Amino acid sequence: MDKKETLLKLIPEQGILPLFFNKSPEVSVKLLHALYEAGIKTIEYTNRGEAAYENFKVLRKVCDTELKGMYLGIGTIKDGETAQKFIDAGADYIISPGLVEDVVPVADKAGILWFPGCMTPSEIIRAEKLGAKVIKLFPGNILGPSFLSGIKELFPNLLFMPTGGVDMTKESISGWFKAGVCAVGMGSKLVSKDVMENQKYAELTAATKEAIEIVKACR
């Protein structure tokens, strides 16, 4: 099974995709360990600060040497050049906030998945024509589960994952799964500012386990 097939199986099985950025490489590593301890085998590190690239390389090394079976994606990729930079640093997949077409040939050449951010049927149709397998519904809090319910039958061969506005509640998570998502992206509602600033790593592990159990109960 190649990396694409592995991740197309792993992400739906995991049900949640934690995503975060922290300017401190030490904090980023501890967050990664806390998520791994909860059973997480893939996360999205977001390219949202000057330290993101150097921190990503640190996380890549930690995954390779300490966290067996952990796949590391990079998010907030808005152009092909940046995609190539992180692919060279070992990114297992690329996630964009929009439909960034110049990312596609770069990711395809590297043989890795790319997740475009979409919020209209036209964008989803274009992404599908370009070869997308998973659509990031973004911003999820604006679109809502009803949007996916309304369009999902048009795209039987695509997987969908919302990011933004997914709350740590059974009501929020179950609403998305009832609409037909394969997983939910969870950022600040899971890896919160409080967790990061006050180093509440045990709380993060516990909250992540809780989120996984909510997903299991929704299915």
Side-chain angles (χ1 to χ4, degrees), residues 97-188:
L99 180 53
V100 187
E101 296 198 17
D102 61 335
V103 165
V104 178
V106 175
D108 285 349
K109 184 178 180 181
I112 66 172
L113 286 173
W114 51 276
F115 299 30
C118 298
M119 66 178 299
T120 68
S122 295
E123 289 175 342
I124 298 169
I125 289 168
R126 180 60 181 158
E128 186 174 37
K129 286 183 177 180
L130 289 168
K133 303 297 182 186
V134 185
I135 302 296
K136 170 182 173 175
L137 295 175
F138 181 76
N141 58 315
I142 301 297
L143 294 169
S146 59
F147 170 78
L148 179 57
S149 296
I151 59 102
K152 191 171 186 300
E153 287 187 5
L154 304 175
F155 305 101
N157 299 317
L158 292 177
L159 297 175
F160 291 90
M161 179 184 71
T163 299
V166 181
D167 294 323
M168 273 287 297
T169 65
K170 185 173 182 180
E171 181 182 13
S172 176
I173 293 172
S174 66
W176 281 108
F177 276 92
K178 285 177 182 176
V181 301
C182 74
V184 289
M186 300 200 72
S188 60

Side-chain angles (χ1 to χ4, degrees), residues 1-12 71 92-93 104 107-115 131 133-134 159:
M1 188 181 297
D2 67 15
K3 189 180 292 185
K4 279 186 177 182
E5 292 173 341
T6 298
L7 286 162
L8 286 171
K9 182 180 179 183
L10 174 59
I11 291 173
Y71 291 87
D92 290 314
Y93 53 95
V104 178
D108 285 349
K109 184 178 180 181
I112 66 172
L113 286 173
W114 51 276
F115 299 30
K133 303 297 182 186
V134 185
L159 297 175

